[in-house]
Amino acid sequence: MEWLQNQGDFNYGTDGYDAEGNEEHKISREGSETMPYIDESPTMSPQLSARSQDSVDGVSPTPTEVLLPGGESESDKGLLMRQLVLSGVLASEEIYINQLEALLLPMKPLKATASTSQPVLTLQQINDIFYKIEDIYQMHKDFYDKLCPIVQQFDNTTTVGHLFQKLASQLGVYKAFVDNYKFALETAEKCGQSNIHFFKISEDLKVKGPKESKEQPRSVTMEALLYKPIDRVTRSTLVLHDLLKHTPTDHPDYPLLQDALRISQNFLSNINEDIDPRRTAVTTPKGDPRQLLKDGFLVELSENSRKLRHLFLFTDLLLCAKLKKTTVGKHQQYDCKWYIPLADLVFPSPEESEPIPQLHATPDHEIEEMKAKISVLKSEIQKEKKSNKGSSRATERLKKKMFEYESWLLLYSPTIPFRIHNKNGKSYFFLLSSDYERSEWREAIQKLQKKDLQALALSPFELQMLTASCFKLRTVHNVPIISHKDDDESPGLYGFLHIIIKSAKGFTHSSNLYCTLEMDSFGYFVSKAKTRVFRDTTEPEWNEEFEIELEGSQCLRILCYEKCFDKSKLNKDNNEIVDKIMGKGQIQLDPQVVQSKNWHDDVIEMNGIKVEFSMKFSSRDMSLKRTPSKKQTGVFGVKISVVTKRERSKVPYIVRQCIEEVEKRGIEEVGIYRISGVATDIQTLKAAFDANSKDILMMLSDMDINAIAGTLKLYFRELPEPLLTDRLYLAFIEGMALSDPAAKENCMMHLLRSLPDPNLMTFLFLLHHLKKVAENEPVNKMSLHNLATVFGPTLLRPSEVESKGHTNLASDIWSHDVMAQVQVLLYYLQHPPISFADLKRSTLYYSTDV
């Protein structure tokens, strides 16, 4: 966690330091299990949960109202939300109690041996390591035992405030634990180094799963479990905020919960002051404390290759380090690669910055293929866990492989540059996946630079001491990847998030404003959508709807920008964003709320700006379900043969017009077919094509090009049968599995000839267009593989009836089926030009039952 600190003014300063030398490019997992992954989001250090004490209506991931079908009263809705929150409390308490039980399990046998001739530990050492754990366990066990029957018989008259008030009044036990925490860790570490028996015990404590689950106990280190109470107490106000939000002010619980929140906030405030010294690394020659304020993993470009670094921001300097490899049982250490005094650190402007070091960008298809491999491994790990093997060796091998794949993805997917320059020396380049994260680092550094900082130079001994302290001081313990998460953490959401960005207020002057949306995916954040620019206003009203694909997502970020139209400020680096960030904020995706069938309204506050939006979630199965149209007069959801016969055309009018417009003014649009169009614009075009409107050509010429591209994708997605037909689906998949190139060629061409003429003509027309789009890849960033990823499932995914027979549309979007569908379309995209006439004239060299 990132401790709250009172920062004094410091006057230090230095020359920089840079440790040159080659190193291995692999990411080491050594020590990755020393502490649990506790970050609130994949790329941020977690924050303390204490809110402002001025109000009980602090920020909370739980919404103020859940919209339910039917005509339920507000009290019914509030009752349901209170019950949901309390059910979550019970589940969380059970997990926490199991963790404390696992920590206490070796204590009794250790005490029993302490009085023998061959003790493992002395009684004093045992008391130091397990100090107050029994008391913490008992208070939470009592709380759980009393809360459980109440929640099971929950109604409007149920009261729980007295239980939370009592729990809050006992938080003083945690004060004693926190005061001893550092000493407990040091004692456990020393005992592990001197006694191999205790080392083995501390590295393999078994935590049992919840009662209702059939999971086998999992192995956790003692150091990780000792951190659980720290993590727990700093989140103690969250549930109280949520309960108060859904408790009527006239309910008997309300004043009790208010009192519990007040006690908890006061306690956390005092704890922060006490914990401050634990964030102090070393003192400077002047005797001033040097404190760690932020740390995290970033990808550095060094010697023309990518290196994973751990960046540490102290009150007067920025230090870049890598974790050394160590043998089992030895204390881990960081190796300092370089440091820059904040007094000498500058951020070059885009026009002033030197070109980014020469780097071969990772092809998009390699990134997507790696995601596919990770998803397959996730599926295999889940299957292994559901079997009776428990934490088998097979599971561990799969997890190890998954860690390797995720580490590769973390290293090679970031593309957003972050430049840091030492005005007395060289520049350093980092690559990030999120502009939100880049902004956080820049703002944290610039805030410290407002102080009176002076040049300083660390002696070799001072640098060694500072670097040695990083291991204990770090707040981000593991690289932000899925395999580091605890089993009790949420797996995230898979499917589609429908989100409407409505409006924003709070700007002090008229600007050209737009928003971008970032979602976490595979452990890191990526930009998913962007609104149009609302010009010259202080109150933009975008009212734009987007459909965003979720890949295990848990958090939504919204960034608000002021658009820069000054071309002289454009940077030569394509990925550099020169527009000014006006505000940024994020919200956790609560599955219980998001998965409601109704729209959920919410607000994100950022630097005095309020952005209003609505969202709802739909599973992938529901979003991709092919539903035949009940009317035969339109074009969406109607068989392609019916449409072409009615229009007396070879290719549907909607396909021809959308492609013509994209080729006219969208062929160089960055991310064409990948970037989401505004959902309301797409629905407008859909209605116009269905009604055969006379104004369709004028509408197309005025419409945003991403909306037109989205309309084309929607047309193919809503066909009652895929363009390449249900009948031939398995044959296409089996044809791609053939090893002999000649046999594969004959099979794949024969399958095209087997398509009905309207389907074949439309497919070839689209194929020719997509190849033209890919020819402009240097500008639009859309490769053949990118286009195959977008269109493959849309053109091949079987209809609902057929899919039950031979394919498994799991929630994991990177399933085997999706991979195969992408490969089929990619084969035809990479094939030399195919014409309808040549196909029909060709001699059949290969036949198959289809």
Side-chain angles (χ1 to χ4, degrees), residues 132-177:
K132 292 297 179 183
I133 297 295
E134 284 183 297
D135 294 339
I136 292 173
Y137 168 78
Q138 196 57 54
M139 65 184 272
H140 282 274
K141 184 69 166 59
D142 292 345
F143 173 75
Y144 177 86
D145 290 343
K146 292 175 182 176
L147 183 63
C148 190
I150 294 176
V151 174
Q152 290 171 353
Q153 304 294 328
F154 198 81
D155 59 31
N156 270 324
T157 62
T158 302
T159 59
V160 295
H162 61 292
L163 296 180
F164 285 93
Q165 188 184 43
K166 180 180 178 181
L167 187 67
S169 69
Q170 296 174 315
L171 287 177
V173 176
Y174 277 96
K175 173 72 165 59
F177 176 84

Side-chain angles (χ1 to χ4, degrees), residues 468-495:
S469 71
C470 288
F471 185 79
K472 289 294 184 185
L473 293 171
R474 59 185 183 165
T475 64
V476 180
H477 300 278
N478 297 319
V479 290
I481 57 180
I482 301 168
S483 54
H484 274 157
K485 291 190 176 182
D486 287 345
D487 289 346
D488 57 312
E489 292 188 67
S490 169
L493 294 169
Y494 290 88

Side-chain angles (χ1 to χ4, degrees), residues 261 422 475 511 529 665 669 735 751 808:
L261 180 60
N422 185 339
T475 64
S511 306
R665 59 189 178 91
E669 181 79 11
L751 291 173
N808 174 31

